[in-house]
């Protein structure tokens, strides 16, 4: 049996020790004391072996940090804050930090040991108390597990710099930017006869951030510490990326190679509006599974866009939310096409998909009041209106375009829609013919679809069908003025 752990929480905290400073004051001793305030956001104990105070430095030795919630332990040989000869302060630390986490295997309970190795890492410290600024740089930081039969992780970040400012207040806030020349992340699991391995790399990763530093977080009920009014922002850009994943079990080997070009990502909570969005250029997938008889599959697209926007804790007035997903220039290799269309009857055109929906959304209770463990509770949100900005699809010579607006009556469940949706189909009849010729759609089914389309759509000639779907608050629904319900 295997169990979940707080592996990533501890890994991120360890990486922070090697790459970025947290909390400071002008005096070297106070800087170290405030540095370890970072760990107070989680249930930890900190033991310091010895403390050395020189005329121009303070150094803590043999530091042991224990995470009670995940049985994680960090062993830090030393951390030092020094005054530079020409003025200012800097922080340095041991090149090697060791630690351990609770293992995944409940039967053996073997811990997962790891080591963090940093080269050329130094942190410059400047500014006044309450608005301290930091400038970090390192040549290389490595995180890797040691001696575990359950999991192997090896991550390396090179040529990194970052700047950040800590502003103290009711909730302390860290803001700044970062840049690394390259990042690699390799991992492998071997669990009950199934093996999973992945090797990923990214070039020129840069970004900016503004993050609240919560203290005394309840690990069992995180939402109780969450404040929807506290802004948060993380944005990043990457020049390119490559990932190779291999899955092995008794059926054979499954390989996936993913590549992408320039990418952008954003996670934000601004003015109680949460947003997750991203754009990636030149995405490709190469899939092989020869042991199970699957031919090579190659997929690609010129651009992929995803966006999710939702208001938080607005229990009095509805606010706008948004969902968008788009793929442009989607293409498949001839080997894929030949699986279902060996005679090349269907056009090999690139496909496009664009889904863009928006709605006015109202929370029925605050986030802190929602019991995430209650699977039988009523939906905590309601939509007052919705708009179809686009549901568009272009594939195999046919094109679908859809837009519309709907008002929802939430006085009953499920809510009753009232509005119209406009639908345009171009090339659909020709696609039906080709699907029948390729043997993908039985002729009788194609004839039945044509018969229904003649009822619910208006034929405008040149293989162009249009329809208006009307939904009435009395529950009546029509398409092309023909009742559906």
């Amino acid at each position: 049996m295997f169990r979940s752990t707080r592996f990533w929480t501890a890994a991120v905290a360890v990486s922070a020790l090697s790459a970025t400073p947290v909390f400071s004051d002008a005096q070297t001793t106070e800087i170290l004391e405030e540095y370890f305030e970072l760990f107070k956001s989680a249930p930890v104990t900190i033991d310091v072996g010895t403390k050395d105070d020189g005329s121009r430095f303070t150094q803590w030795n043999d530091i042991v940090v224990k995470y009670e919630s995940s049985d994680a332990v960090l062993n830090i040989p030393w951390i030092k804050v020094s005054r530079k000869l020409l003025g200012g302060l800097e922080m340095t630390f041991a090149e090697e930090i060791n630690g351990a986490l609770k293992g995944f295997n409940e039967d053996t309970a073997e811990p997962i040991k790891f080591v963090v190795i940093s080269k050329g890492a130094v942190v410059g410290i400047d500014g006044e108390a309450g608005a301290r600024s930091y400038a970090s740089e390192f040549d290389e930081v490595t995180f890797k597990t040691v001696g575990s039969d359950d999991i192997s992780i090896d991550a390396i970040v090179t040529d990194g710099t970052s700047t950040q400012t800590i502003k103290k207040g009711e909730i302390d806030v860290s803001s700044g930017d970062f840049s690394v020349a390259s990042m690699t992340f390799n991992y492998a699991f071997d669990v009950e006869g199934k093996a999973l391995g992945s090797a990923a790399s990214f070039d020129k990763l840069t970004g900016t951030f503004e993050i609240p530093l919560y203290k005394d977080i309840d690990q069992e009920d995180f939402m109780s510490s969450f404040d929807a009014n506290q802004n948060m922002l993380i944005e990043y850009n990457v020049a390119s990326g490559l990932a190779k994943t291999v899955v092995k079990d008794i059926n054979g080997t499954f390989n996936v190679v993913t590549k992408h070009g320039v990418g952008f990502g954003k996670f934000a909570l601004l003015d109680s509006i949460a947003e997750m969005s991203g754009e990636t250029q030149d995405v490709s997938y190469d899939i092989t599974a020869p042991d199970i008889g699957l031919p090579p599959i190659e997929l690609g697209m010129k651009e992929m866009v995803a966006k999710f926007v939702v208001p938080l804790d607005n229990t009095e007035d509805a606010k706008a939310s948004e969902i968008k997903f788009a793929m442009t220039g989607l293409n498949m290799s001839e080997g894929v096409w030949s699986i279902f269309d060996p005679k090349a009857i269907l056009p090999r055109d690139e496909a496009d998909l664009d889904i863009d929906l928006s709605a006015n959304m109202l929370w029925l209770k605050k986030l802190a009041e929602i019991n995430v463990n209650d699977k039988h509770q009523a939906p905590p949100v309601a939509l007052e209106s919705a708009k179809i900005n686009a549901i568009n699809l272009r594939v195999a010579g046919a094109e679908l375009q859809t837009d519309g607006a709907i008002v929802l009556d939430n006085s009953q469940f499920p809510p009753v829609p009232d509005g119209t949706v406009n639908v345009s189909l171009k090339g659909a009849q020709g696609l039906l013919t080709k699907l029948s010729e390729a043997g993908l759609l039985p002729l009788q089914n194609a004839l039945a679809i044509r018969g229904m389309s003649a009822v619910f759509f208006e034929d405008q000639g040149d293989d162009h069908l249009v329809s208006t779907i009307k939904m009435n608050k009395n529950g009546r629904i029509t398409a092309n003025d023909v009742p559906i319900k």
Side-chain angles (χ1 to χ4, degrees), residues 62-276:
D62 301 323
I63 305 161
V64 179
V65 181
K66 295 182 179 180
Y67 287 76
E68 299 174 2
S69 60
S70 59
D71 293 341
V73 178
L74 306 180
N75 298 292
I76 308 167
W78 59 267
I79 296 179
K80 183 178 183 179
V81 176
S82 308
R83 294 186 182 278
K84 296 185 289 186
L85 290 176
L86 299 179
L89 298 163
E90 68 178 14
M91 180 184 294
T92 52
F93 35 83
E95 287 191 353
E96 184 172 314
I97 297 173
N98 295 286
L101 298 164
K102 181 186 295 183
F104 293 115
N105 196 315
E106 290 185 346
D107 298 326
T108 62
E110 288 293 329
I112 298 174
K113 298 179 181 179
F114 61 87
V115 61
V116 178
I117 301 173
S118 58
K119 298 179 181 179
V122 63
V123 178
I125 305 170
D126 200 0
E128 301 296 330
R132 197 72 64 185
S133 62
Y134 308 85
S136 307
E137 62 181 41
F138 60 84
D139 297 328
E140 181 179 283
V141 173
T142 301
F143 176 96
K144 61 181 179 181
T145 56
V146 180
S148 173
D149 295 329
D150 296 332
I151 180 174
S152 173
I153 293 179
D154 187 353
I156 302 176
V157 184
T158 64
D159 295 332
T161 63
S162 72
T163 63
Q164 69 173 317
T165 299
I166 305 294
K167 294 184 179 180
K168 289 186 170 293
E170 183 175 347
I171 296 178
D172 298 341
V173 175
S174 171
S175 61
D177 58 67
F178 61 89
S179 174
V180 298
S182 66
M183 176 186 296
T184 60
F185 183 76
N186 307 322
Y187 68 87
F189 294 89
D190 192 350
V191 180
E192 297 179 350
K194 296 182 180 180
L196 170 65
S198 179
S201 62
F202 305 92
D203 293 323
K204 296 180 180 178
L205 180 64
T206 62
T208 60
F209 61 90
E210 180 179 328
I211 305 172
L213 302 173
Y214 293 104
K215 297 180 182 179
D216 302 321
I217 295 177
D218 186 345
Q219 298 295 317
E220 300 300 326
D221 185 11
F222 173 79
M223 294 307 300
S224 64
S225 305
F226 178 74
D227 183 0
N229 295 312
Q230 179 64 54
N231 287 347
M232 176 187 299
L233 174 65
I234 301 175
E235 293 183 299
Y236 71 87
N237 294 275
V238 62
S240 62
L242 170 66
K244 299 180 180 180
T245 303
V246 180
V247 180
K248 296 181 179 180
D249 60 18
I250 59 175
N251 297 313
T253 302
F254 188 83
N255 304 280
V256 180
V257 178
T258 306
K259 299 179 182 179
H260 67 80
V262 175
F264 162 80
K266 179 180 180 181
F267 175 78
L269 177 57
L270 303 174
D271 298 326
S272 299
I273 303 293
E275 176 183 341
M276 290 185 291

Side-chain angles (χ1 to χ4, degrees), residues 286-419:
D286 188 349
I287 304 170
T288 58
D291 297 332
I292 61 176
L294 184 70
I297 296 176
E298 296 178 10
L299 305 173
M301 66 191 77
K302 295 178 180 177
E303 183 181 58
M304 178 185 294
V305 177
K307 186 177 183 181
F308 177 70
V309 178
V310 59
L312 299 179
D313 278 358
N314 55 307
T315 57
E316 296 182 0
D317 299 313
K319 294 183 179 180
S321 62
E322 179 182 354
I323 296 177
K324 180 176 177 63
F325 179 75
M327 296 186 294
T328 304
L330 180 64
N331 60 82
M332 300 185 297
S333 62
E334 184 58 35
V336 181
W337 279 106
S338 63
I339 296 175
F340 53 87
D341 185 25
K343 297 181 181 180
I345 294 175
L346 297 174
R348 276 23 178 184
D349 302 342
E350 292 182 341
D352 296 327
L353 172 66
D354 184 13
I355 300 175
D356 190 350
L357 310 174
S358 59
N360 289 332
M361 174 179 164
L362 178 70
W363 286 90
L364 304 180
K365 60 175 65 175
K366 295 285 186 179
L367 291 175
E369 299 172 356
I370 298 175
N371 182 3
V372 295
N373 298 316
D374 184 2
K375 299 180 180 180
H376 304 289
Q377 63 183 323
V381 298
L383 301 180
E384 294 189 352
S385 64
K387 185 177 181 181
I388 302 174
N389 302 301
I391 299 181
N392 300 337
L393 174 64
R394 183 174 64 85
V395 61
E399 183 176 0
L400 165 70
Q401 291 185 322
T402 305
D403 61 49
I406 301 169
V407 176
L408 297 173
D409 180 4
N410 291 287
S411 62
Q412 55 183 303
F413 187 84
V416 177
D418 181 16

